[in-house]
Amino acid sequence: AKALREYSKTDQDQKPVGRDVDDAITLTLSLVDTLRGMLAGYDWKTDLAKPGPKRYLNAVTGSVNYLRDVATPGNQVEE
């Protein structure tokens, strides 16, 4: 509240800084659910379970490639 005194009345009312932690948690959980849905067709957990120092990198790279692939459901461009 002290820090928000430095901002305008509109900023103080809308709280662009220092939003409620519960709101942030709700939004984060919603985004995680959205990502899970988008990655439902890709088995990134298998990449993550493999031994080696690059397992996280491989899981993320594989996930990104899956999401960008035109063959992934939802990525087809309509004629």
Side-chain angles (χ1 to χ4, degrees):
K2 275 184 174 180
L4 285 177
R5 281 189 230 149
E6 298 175 21
Y7 296 96
S8 70
K9 179 70 176 142
T10 303
D11 290 341
Q12 291 174 15
D13 292 341
Q14 295 179 3
K15 293 185 176 181
V17 178
R19 289 189 182 264
D20 187 25
V21 173
D22 291 332
D23 291 343
I25 291 170
T26 301
L27 178 59
T28 301
L29 292 174
S30 173
L31 292 172
V32 168
D33 283 342
T34 299
L35 283 171
R36 282 188 180 131
M38 292 171 67
L39 289 169
Y42 180 71
D43 187 15
W44 58 270
K45 291 179 184 180
T46 297
D47 290 335
L48 195 58
K50 292 178 183 175
K54 293 187 178 183
R55 62 187 182 169
Y56 290 101
L57 180 63
N58 292 337
V60 169
T61 303
S63 296
V64 169
N65 289 338
Y66 172 79
L67 291 172
R68 296 187 67 183
D69 191 337
V70 295
T72 298
N75 287 355
Q76 293 78 24
V77 178
E78 293 183 26
E79 296 292 329

